[in-house]
Amino acid sequence: FVVSVLLVLTLTITFWKRNTKIIYFLRLEWFYFVQLGLLFIAVGAWLIVIPQSQQPNDFADSSASVQCVASVWLFSAGYGWLLTPLLLRINAIYRLQINPRKTPLHRVKVGKRKLLKSLALVTIIVMCYLLIWSLIDPPSTQAYYSMPDGVMEGGKTVVTKSEYCSSDSSAWMVANVGWQLLLVMSASIVTFMASNRFRKDLNETRLLSSLIFVHLLFGLVRFALVTLRDSIADPIDLMAIFSLVMTCECVASLAIFVIPKLVQSYGSNNITAADEHLPELYMNCTIMYAHLAGFEAWSSVREASQVFEFLDVLYSAFDEIADKRGVFKVESSESYVAATGIPIARNDHALQMARFAMDIAHATAKKCKELEIVYGEGTAELAIQIGLHSGAVTGGLMQGSRFQLIGGTASLAKQVSATSERRRIQVTQETANHLIRLGRSSWLHERDELINLKGSGNVKMYWLGKGTKNPSLIAGETGSGSEIEFISSSDGELYEISHEMSGAERKRRLVNWNIGILHQLLKQIYARRMATVVRSLGHRQGEPSVLANLDVESAVSMNAKAPLYPDQQQPFQHGPANKVFSAYHSGTEGYHNETVPLDEVKEIIPLPTFDRKIAKRQTSDMEEIEIPTIVLDQLQMFVSKIGDLYNDNPFHCFAHASHVVMSTMKHLNRIVAPNDLEMEDESDQYVKTKAAAALHDHTYGITSDPLTQFACVFAALIHDVDHPGIPNIRLVKEDPDLAVRFRGRSVAEQNAFTIAWDLLMKDEFAELLAGICGDHDGLARFRQLVINSVMATDLGDRELRKLRNGRWDRAFKTCTPEEEAQVDNVNRKATIVIEHLIQAADVSHTTQHYDVYREWSAFLFQEMYFAFREGRADTNPSDFWYEGEIGFFDHYVIPLSKKLSDCGVFGISSDENLSYATRNRELWMAGGKAATEEIHQKCKEAWESMNPEEPEEAPKEVAVAPPPLQQEEEGDDDGGNGKSAAKDSAEQVRPEENGAPPELIAEPEQSQSSLLMPDEPTTEL
């Protein structure tokens, strides 16, 4: 009774002090329900043991039964109202702690709505259980008779009658206490996981943990009492002990948590709007800023989802190291910011941060190399750049949810990171002084030059690194000439990085990455095929499936009877004896003697019609699809051989092909649905099918056909196989046999397709071919898509260019509304969009970050320069490079980006292409001349070092501008080579006219109208 009165008093004080900071941060509703739960428990414990009524028998029995039922209902509801808020709060604290974006200085907020909903749910469940209990076997007064030894009255033995509350079956009370114990054990488990993560935080996790563990202890005692009730002779004693345990539990809660909080509230001011920020000055701390050098350029090549996945993996590794080192993480976005000496002061803050910085530098090098197989080439070249500075800083919550560091120390640490170098840790004099004081002077290596920092002027800086042999992250030159860096962890482990990896190692990584891309696309083809097989067998959704246990290999074999698409009839068989299969062979016999791949380019490639039943079944989990091992082995062998077939050109090489594959995938992944399509319930199968149908129509069937997507990526992979590093016009002169074979047009492109296709047609890849195509109609369509795509990468063939421009106009400009919906026009749009997708991917370096553009542009310059020095080109590319790049942007890249935007298929991707292209042109206009001179000088030095006996490069002469390129009329005959005399003249100053990605180059004196402009929408040009 006294405890009950005390709890009423605490509730009154809580209401009185509700506006103080202590009560406000506890959340008033949460604190109320905790005390109400304790009050109900105390009242229930009191009702169990108070004397029964002495009224007449009938009324007394009824009153006693009501008292028994009331006591059980009160303490049962009380435990629900007490334990549920505790569980919600400790769970919120744990979720905050495992969130990498949160810190121990974040306050948890148990929302009022969430609290009320949870309490309502628990109350309903408890009330339903108690109602059933009260109706079936209600608690009532039970008589207990005892005969005290030696007690006689009037010669008779005295028999004592006592009454207590109980049901006929003890199982009700055991179940009641059991669910309470289960609830507090759940809270205890979460408490155990959360209590050791932070030594100090604003949510007082350890105090709350103590309270929960106390309830766990008392819960175990209560459970033991009700389960061992038969072992206690006197049930009256049992009830008294049970009541005492509950009363002690309430007293412990008051003493540990409730009363201390109320006492603190008397010394606390009222809450204000600024109190959520809680700023504090930390006098001695070390702040680290770390960012990835080259990350902006790297991310411009990849999908946004891949960028975030990569950062999540990397920063999660940083977080693990931070927990191990006791480092406080501030934030992570493009930069990873951490601090030591916050929020717990420590004297060795600089030492701990130095160790942490070396650990994450070591981890970054290893993790980026491991992730290259997932995210493609260039990932291993990402390098962390770190800066450390020590001093005083103000820290606090910004808008109540985000911790921020403010002041000169934080700003200076950011500048130190920005002026550091790749794979190096730079520290200021202040941090160095702390390390010297702690006996770590051997870790410091003074920079040769002073560094200018805004607001501080020229200051001395140090490189940080552990060890003596390779004391810091300093690059050295090895005997082989490759650049080697050693990154040391704080434990002294050295991790070696070679930036000029061997050609075999680089090719192996590229091969593995391309295999991963093609594997995922092949799984989509198999999923489509399995859905088609199920449909062909007449299975209806909701009925027992005849293919419930059908695996992929069985589906492939059954596909001999069920073609890949419903409107295709001829099953696929592979092998040397198959004449139809042989008809598609492009080798030295049969088919190529009558026609060449260029003859097969079509204006319209029919794509499959949309099938709702197949689309509905195709939405199964892709992870459950397993490709047969033999197919995967052949895929790996094929991609490896394709990589070997690429020449080691600076630009037209396997790395370029992989870059085009990556860009193709980026465009395919960014194909978007129409804006008016809203998927409110993505779990609804009907909505998914409706979305697939709308996306099919919006993208002209590209998204719903996995074979088309596979063909696009396949074409990107093979489009420059065996490229000689010279344009087609020079290749025709150097290899007359090849020119005759392919009739002097698109020689490099036709040769690349022929070599790759002949390889695929070999018997050793029979299962792979069957897995890709499925049947002969699929094989024919796959070949047609690949041919059109590869031939689209030839930007110098005027007939192909004229065909594409005309097809674009008919598809998107001149068609009438009646023609818009015709199947042929839809397929025409799909065909031209696929070709433009490949073209955009082929020159994607121009529509990505400027660093990416500069890098690949330098590779192309080097390739053309070496060809010039070898006598395989007539003009030095430095003579026209600056103006030619501007012309290439103006007359090809920017118009192509606008076309992708006009077709409305690629969403934000086309806008991104146009934005990057425009920005790169501006940057090239500003710094292109200096960049050209720099590239020229490096190529010249590289050539002369490889060929010391060769004569030096002739001095640059002023070239005479060639006559303007005349527009060719239809029907002009130039000897079957498709090139007019005017174009031949233009080729002498624009040696790179071919392939992927070509650069259209003009002399400075040449007018823009004389430039060769493939796919230029303006017909006059």
Side-chain angles (χ1 to χ4, degrees), residues 655-921:
H656 164 65
S658 301
H659 187 260
V660 177
V661 167
M662 184 179 296
S663 299
T664 301
M665 284 300 301
K666 180 177 179 179
H667 282 88
L668 287 174
N669 290 332
R670 289 199 175 181
I671 291 179
V672 295
N675 294 330
D676 58 350
L677 177 64
E678 296 182 0
M679 293 181 61
E680 297 180 356
D681 184 8
E682 295 185 0
S683 63
D684 187 275
Q685 190 68 36
Y686 171 76
V687 174
K688 285 185 176 180
T689 307
K690 179 182 177 182
L695 193 58
H696 171 93
D697 295 338
H698 183 65
T699 61
Y700 319 119
I702 298 174
T703 54
S704 59
D705 181 26
L707 184 61
T708 297
Q709 299 176 45
F710 188 93
C712 291
V713 176
F714 184 88
L717 180 67
I718 70 166
H719 78 283
D720 273 336
V721 163
D722 196 36
H723 196 288
I726 54 176
N728 274 330
I729 189 170
R730 189 74 190 191
L731 180 59
V732 169
K733 297 177 182 178
E734 290 190 2
D735 196 338
D737 293 338
L738 202 64
V740 171
R741 180 181 181 186
F742 296 117
R743 302 175 185 172
R745 294 180 56 198
S746 302
V747 177
E749 290 73 25
Q750 294 193 77
N751 183 54
F753 169 80
T754 300
I755 292 174
W757 190 262
D758 285 352
L759 180 64
L760 184 63
M761 294 298 108
K762 290 185 177 181
D763 292 342
E764 58 186 306
F765 301 113
E767 285 74 18
L768 173 61
L769 184 62
I772 296 172
C773 303
D775 56 33
H776 282 287
D777 288 343
L779 176 63
R781 190 159 53 83
F782 177 65
R783 176 185 172 90
Q784 190 62 66
L785 287 165
V786 174
I787 286 178
N788 268 48
S789 299
V790 174
M791 294 306 111
T793 62
D794 180 11
L795 308 185
D797 190 290
R798 280 174 291 174
E799 291 187 18
L800 286 176
R801 188 169 67 254
K802 187 181 298 183
L803 177 65
R804 283 192 296 268
N805 287 336
R807 189 159 66 247
W808 180 274
D809 291 340
R810 285 191 294 275
F812 292 101
K813 291 185 177 181
T814 62
C815 64
T816 63
E818 293 76 14
E819 296 173 336
E820 184 77 23
Q822 292 179 1
V823 175
D824 282 350
N825 194 61
V826 172
N827 287 329
R828 180 185 289 110
K829 289 182 177 180
T831 304
I832 194 64
V833 166
I834 290 171
E835 292 178 354
H836 280 70
L837 182 153
I838 295 296
Q839 288 181 329
D842 199 14
V843 295
S844 59
H845 66 286
T846 62
T847 56
Q848 292 164 358
H849 191 271
Y850 187 68
D851 290 347
V852 178
Y853 162 68
R854 279 286 309 274
E855 179 184 22
W856 284 103
S857 179
F859 289 151
L860 182 57
F861 184 99
Q862 180 184 356
E863 183 175 298
M864 296 172 64
Y865 180 82
F866 283 6
F868 166 69
R869 294 300 297 268
E870 291 170 355
R872 305 176 71 193
D874 298 329
T875 309
N876 189 330
S878 64
D879 294 346
F880 51 77
W881 195 257
Y882 172 73
E883 293 81 1
E885 290 295 280
I886 296 174
F888 187 54
F889 276 113
D890 290 342
H891 303 299
Y892 185 76
V893 177
I894 293 177
L896 178 59
S897 300
K898 291 179 179 179
K899 279 188 175 183
L900 294 179
S901 179
D902 293 341
C903 72
V905 172
F906 298 101
I908 194 174
S909 180
S910 53
D911 296 333
E912 181 188 31
N913 287 353
L914 184 58
S915 175
Y916 269 121
T918 305
R919 176 61 176 164
N920 288 343
R921 184 190 183 281

Side-chain angles (χ1 to χ4, degrees), residues 44 62 287 559 856 946:
S62 174
I287 301 174
N559 203 54
W856 284 103
M946 293 186 298

